[in-house]
Amino acid sequence: MDTTVDLDMFAARVERPDDASRRAAEQRRQELEQPHGGLGRLEELGNWLASVQGASPVRPVSAPKVLLFAGDHGIAELGVSRLSPAGGTAGRVHAVLDGTAPVARLARRYGAGVRVVDVAVDAPVEEFPEDVTAHRVRRGSGRIDRMDAITREEATAAFAVGTALADEEAELGTDLVLLGDLGVGSTTVAAVLVGALCGTDAAAVCGRGSGIDDRIWMVKCAAIRDSLRRARPVLGDQLALLAATGGADFAAITGFLLQAAVRRLPVVLDGVVSAACALIAQRVAFRAPEWWRAAVLTGEPALAKAYDRLTLTPLHEQDIRMGEGVGATLALPLLQAASDTLAEELFEPALPSAPRRPRPLPTAAELLGKL
């Protein structure tokens, strides 16, 4: 198996979003007869969409996709998650696939597709459909407080899975990715990566995750502390870091984020897992965060630190804590509204003898009716 990957290539290939389209969108908005700043942060979102689409007028967000990377983590053996035991990710995958999970219900409501990618779920491969397991790298991962999560070869393979999926989604015509994860123990792993990358101690990044009590919080904090000792020596090598204290799902998400930026595919980050991967990707290509938006703060201290380092501001404040793509999916109607307020159909064609006049803005009820 090839164990090399040219990360420097991403730094060269990731370009900034189109600033000319951003300026054109702002100019276009000034043609509307409305108070300056009347649409609040929707105006900035509309300008961002214009820049990542490289187009003005902005195209409506019409082909969004919820993309969930799934994997189990050996650190869950310590009982750091209240809701599920180690190896419990399979049940979450089934809930998404059968349509009962909150993210599946919300995606249906807002017209988004849903795709689950099993990268390292600790379950028999025949338990899920073939299209879900087609990219599996391994079954589960090591306990990162005392051993590597995966090998470097597996980290490279998982990273390649992510880049391939970014290419695939771009070719399919997906115009916005709502990025999430499914994994027991994943917030502990994410806290380790954020703590290592931001130079903080375990207590500063250890959150309550699934709602753990004080006793389990102390167990989790100790696990993060021990894992940080293993992460710091390999901070200069992103793939080594993902192998030592990440996991196959984290490596795949990192690869996806980088290649999505290369392919000019905008992404909404869901929670601390995608944010931790975004921090790693930022170290590879400093322009990449301009292609992303943050969905929500979840109460995880590591997430707040990651967003601060990435200079990203959450799109909404609904206190969503469960992860699994829910926060990112709830940001979708905001982005759809931002694109709709600048779409071509808002304007009547200008008459030769008269100035161009905007049509009335749609009401809130009309906007919701399009979702």
Side-chain angles (χ1 to χ4, degrees):
M1 180 184 297
D2 184 8
T3 60
T4 63
V5 60
D6 183 9
L7 294 181
D8 292 337
M9 172 195 70
F10 291 99
R13 293 180 62 192
V14 173
E15 300 178 352
R16 286 193 167 93
D18 184 8
D19 195 54
S21 294
R22 183 192 295 270
R23 292 194 302 270
E26 179 60 31
Q27 178 62 40
R28 183 177 176 79
R29 189 177 298 282
Q30 292 176 8
E31 298 177 21
L32 295 170
E33 294 178 358
Q34 63 182 33
H36 177 69
L39 289 174
R41 290 179 61 194
L42 287 184
E43 295 184 3
E44 187 278 330
L45 274 181
N47 294 346
W48 175 73
L49 284 170
S51 68
V52 296
Q53 292 176 357
S56 182
V58 175
R59 296 187 297 270
V61 176
S62 59
K65 177 75 67 68
V66 178
L67 185 58
L68 303 171
F69 288 86
D72 278 294
H73 297 278
I75 200 69
E77 296 173 9
L78 295 175
V80 293
S81 178
R82 181 180 66 85
L83 297 179
S84 302
T89 302
R92 301 184 183 188
V93 172
H94 282 299
V96 175
L97 295 179
D98 65 24
T100 60
V103 67
R105 296 176 184 273
L106 289 169
R108 286 198 301 271
R109 174 67 180 87
Y110 299 136
V114 178
R115 183 176 186 180
V116 179
V117 181
D118 170 6
V119 190
V121 177
D122 188 10
V125 69
E126 59 270 15
E127 186 166 334
F128 307 121
E130 186 177 351
D131 61 327
V132 173
T133 60
H135 299 288
R136 180 183 284 192
V137 173
R138 59 174 283 164
R139 181 169 170 171
S141 66
R143 219 180 90 178
I144 60 173
D145 61 331
R146 63 183 186 184
M147 67 177 70
D148 287 350
I150 55 178
T151 67
R152 187 182 181 92
E153 292 83 357
E154 289 165 339
T156 302
F159 186 93
V161 164
T163 61
L165 288 172
D167 285 334
E168 188 173 320
E169 291 300 329
E171 295 299 328
L172 287 172
T174 299
D175 57 9
L176 179 70
V177 171
L178 310 165
L179 183 62
D181 65 279
L182 301 167
V184 177
S186 59
T187 62
T188 303
V189 176
V192 172
L193 294 172
V194 173
L197 293 165
C198 293
T200 61
D201 60 22
V205 291
C206 184
R208 298 285 175 168
S210 56
I212 57 178
D213 59 25
D214 289 345
R215 182 187 65 82
I216 298 178
W217 182 87
M218 288 188 286
V219 172
K220 181 176 180 178
C221 193
I224 293 172
R225 177 201 63 205
D226 294 341
S227 302
L228 279 171
R229 292 171 181 161
R230 301 189 65 258
R232 291 185 179 116
V234 293
L235 271 177
D237 184 337
Q238 286 79 31
L239 283 173
L241 178 63
L242 287 164
T245 56
D249 50 345
F250 282 75
I253 293 171
T254 303
F256 180 87
L257 283 169
L258 285 167
Q259 186 64 11
V262 170
R263 297 299 302 266
R264 308 180 71 85
L265 178 59
V267 177
V268 178
L269 308 176
D270 180 56
V272 70
V273 171
S274 54
C277 297
L279 278 180
I280 300 174
Q282 181 191 43
R283 286 204 164 196
V284 176
F286 72 93
R287 299 184 187 93
E290 297 183 42
W291 295 94
W292 313 326
R293 280 297 178 267
V296 64
L297 285 173
T298 64
E300 287 289 317
L303 180 59
K305 290 184 180 299
Y307 283 166
D308 182 63
R309 182 64 61 90
L310 294 163
T311 64
L312 294 176
T313 302
L315 296 178
H316 62 84
E317 298 180 7
Q318 298 301 319
D319 293 328
I320 303 297
R321 298 178 182 272
M322 72 175 298
E324 301 185 17
V326 171
T329 306
L330 281 172
L332 176 57
L334 291 174
L335 287 152
Q336 290 171 325
S339 67
D340 287 350
T341 57
L342 277 177
E344 178 69 42
E345 59 266 22
L346 287 176
F347 292 83
E348 296 286 0
L351 298 174
S353 58
R356 195 180 192 190
R357 294 180 298 122
R359 291 170 57 189
L361 285 171
T363 66
E366 290 170 339
L367 284 176
L368 289 173
K370 294 181 180 181
L371 301 179

